């Protein structure tokens, strides 16, 4: 049941958990058991207690690590290793490595599809998806795409939606046949990265350049688009509250919600923008506590004439916990 929509909800950075080691990262993922948080971190995955920040363990040799996904039914976790072109399989209860699976080139985002009961990687440099059977620990199919897949989400009802970053579109895949069903334009959205889904209302939330684009998962129509910060690389939808989150590398977390009665039907509004920290561009939502976790670090000052991202300072890697004070 949807919680009462509170336009006065004020999110804050509640905790900062330091994580030792080099300051390189990509995705972060709330685990399905034990309040464990899995963090891509250079050449390894760090696991911490999301309530205390205490270290739980490390999964090593995940060079070029990007993301983590879980198959709770088989008690397995899966890590995409972009520079190894592999996926590491581990036991969710012990975090012990069980297997290595070869995939397409540069497996990046990784997800579990509850409908087909498969693990799916977005292979950025291969313009493909690898379909993994989590029981056999092997690739059983692949999907070639006309562009670079950035993130994928499932409706758990037979369709997979994939952001194609260099084509500014969402591709829809039939997870019974692994055939492309549709290619939907995200215009006016550009360079889509993070993607999340409201399964009940059939809406997709695509984080684009300075913009969140809301798309109907039923017909591909762009329902709304709203301003967000710069450098978005993650979005999340909380089905209990209806909040949509967009994390941006400029140090902002934009929180949105569908308009309440009396406002324009079907449209969304920005509820608030939380100041996080520079570099906090990816996120993971805990749907039980309604808190958001974001990885970042401290950065060296930009030098005159320097372009691109500033250099992160090793030893300053950290996880931010964002939520409403007094609420879990």
């Amino acid at each position: 049941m949807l919680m009462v929509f509170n336009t006065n909800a004020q999110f804050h950075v509640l905790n900062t958990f330091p994580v030792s080691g080099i300051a390189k990262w990509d995705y972060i993922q709330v685990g399905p058991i034990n309040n464990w948080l899995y963090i891509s971190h250079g050449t390894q995955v760090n696991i911490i207690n999301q309530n205390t920040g205490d270290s739980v363990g490390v999964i090593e040799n995940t060079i070029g690590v990007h993301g983590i996904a879980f198959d709770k039914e088989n008690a397995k976790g899966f890590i995409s290793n972009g520079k190894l072109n592999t996926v590491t399989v581990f036991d969710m209860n012990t975090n012990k490595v069980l297997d290595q699976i070869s995939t397409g080139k540069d497996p990046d985002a990784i997800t579990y599809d509850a409908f087909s009961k498969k693990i799916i990687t977005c292979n950025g440099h291969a313009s493909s998806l690898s379909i993994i059977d989590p029981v056999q620990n092997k690739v059983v199919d692949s999907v070639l795409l006309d562009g670079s897949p950035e993130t994928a989400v499932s409706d758990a009802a037979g369709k997979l939606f994939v952001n194609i970053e260099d084509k500014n579109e969402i591709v829809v895949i039939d997870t019974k046949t692994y055939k492309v069903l549709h290619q939907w334009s995200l215009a006016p959205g550009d360079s889509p990265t993070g993607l999340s889904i409201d399964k009940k209302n059939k809406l997709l939330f695509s984080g684009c350049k300075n913009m969140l684009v809301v798309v109907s998962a039923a017909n591909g129509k762009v329902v709304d688009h709203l301003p967000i910060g710069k450098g978005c690389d993650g979005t999340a939808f909380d089905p209990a509250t209806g909040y949509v989150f967009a994390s941006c590398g400029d140090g902002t977390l934009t929180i949105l919600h569908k308009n309440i009665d009396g406002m324009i039907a079907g449209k969304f509004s920005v509820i608030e923008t939380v100041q996080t920290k520079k570099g906090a561009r990816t996120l993971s939502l805990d749907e039980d506590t309604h808190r958001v976790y974001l990885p970042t670090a401290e950065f060296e000052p930009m030098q005159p004439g320097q372009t691109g991202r500033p250099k992160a300072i090793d030893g300053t890697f950290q996880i931010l916990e964002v939520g409403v004070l007094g609420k879990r």
Side-chain angles (χ1 to χ4, degrees):
M1 184 174 74
L2 190 69
M3 292 183 173
V4 175
F5 172 45
N6 178 10
T7 57
N8 297 315
Q10 296 203 350
F11 286 79
H12 303 270
V13 175
L14 303 177
N15 289 297
T16 301
F17 301 130
V19 180
S20 62
I22 62 172
K24 290 185 178 181
W25 67 94
D26 197 354
Y27 294 110
I28 185 171
Q29 190 63 51
V30 172
I33 61 172
N34 299 328
N35 295 313
W36 289 348
L37 189 63
Y38 292 77
I39 308 154
S40 66
H41 188 193
T43 61
Q44 63 190 37
V45 170
N46 282 68
I47 308 156
I48 66 171
N49 183 304
Q50 69 187 60
N51 296 325
T52 65
D54 293 337
S55 176
V56 172
V58 175
I59 300 174
E60 297 179 329
N61 301 317
T62 62
I63 299 171
V65 57
H66 286 291
I68 307 100
F70 303 96
D71 174 5
K72 191 173 180 180
E73 182 178 345
N74 289 294
K76 291 179 180 179
F78 298 81
I79 301 166
S80 54
N81 308 315
K83 291 188 177 180
L84 297 176
N85 302 326
T86 64
V87 164
T88 297
V89 187
F90 65 93
D91 185 303
M92 268 172 36
N93 295 299
T94 66
N95 297 316
K96 179 182 177 181
V97 172
L98 302 174
D99 209 344
Q100 302 286 347
I101 304 168
S102 295
T103 65
K105 191 174 182 180
D106 186 28
D108 194 334
I110 185 168
T111 191
Y112 175 71
D113 171 36
F115 180 83
S116 65
K117 298 187 176 181
K118 298 294 189 294
I119 294 288
I120 300 167
T121 64
C122 294
N123 307 319
H125 291 167
S127 296
S128 70
L129 308 177
S130 290
I131 315 301
I132 296 171
D133 184 329
V135 176
Q136 302 180 69
N137 291 346
K138 74 174 189 177
V139 173
V140 294
D141 210 336
S142 63
V143 181
L144 290 176
L145 300 167
D146 183 25
S148 180
E150 178 65 14
T151 320
V153 294
S154 165
D155 66 357
K159 291 185 176 63
L160 186 79
F161 303 89
V162 187
N163 263 348
I164 306 297
E165 187 174 17
D166 56 344
K167 298 292 184 179
N168 303 331
E169 64 184 20
I170 289 177
V171 166
V172 187
I173 308 293
D174 184 327
T175 56
K176 297 183 289 292
T177 63
Y178 296 110
K179 303 297 183 185
V180 174
L181 296 175
H182 307 288
Q183 292 175 260
W184 294 336
S185 171
L186 280 166
D190 183 27
S191 303
T193 52
L195 185 65
S196 52
I197 185 169
D198 174 355
K199 297 173 186 174
K200 180 180 178 181
N201 295 299
K202 295 182 170 56
L203 292 173
L204 296 161
F205 306 100
S206 181
C208 297
K209 186 177 181 180
N210 304 340
M211 181 186 298
L212 182 86
V213 179
V214 185
V215 179
S216 167
N219 58 26
K221 180 181 178 181
V222 172
V223 175
D224 205 353
H225 55 87
L226 302 99
I228 58 174
K230 296 180 180 179
C232 178
D233 203 12
T235 71
F237 173 73
D238 189 339
T241 64
Y243 286 122
V244 184
F245 301 88
S247 54
C248 299
D250 64 357
T252 59
L253 176 68
T254 305
I255 302 169
L256 309 96
H257 197 283
K258 196 170 185 178
N259 285 336
I260 58 177
D261 291 342
M263 301 178 78
I264 302 172
K267 297 294 183 177
F268 283 72
S269 294
V270 173
I271 302 307
E272 60 182 306
T273 300
V274 180
Q275 293 298 314
T276 54
K277 281 189 175 182
K278 188 176 183 66
R281 65 186 186 274
T282 60
L283 82 169
S284 184
L285 168 72
D286 187 327
E287 293 184 5
D288 293 327
T289 65
H290 314 292
R291 294 191 174 184
V292 176
Y293 296 86
L294 310 96
T296 191
E298 305 298 332
F299 295 86
E300 294 180 356
M302 293 285 281
Q303 300 302 313
Q306 183 180 347
T307 59
R309 291 176 180 171
K311 180 176 173 28
I313 301 171
D314 289 345
T316 67
F317 186 53
Q318 59 198 258
I319 305 302
L320 309 179
E321 180 185 39
V322 175
V324 178
L325 284 172
K327 293 187 177 182
R328 276 192 92 86

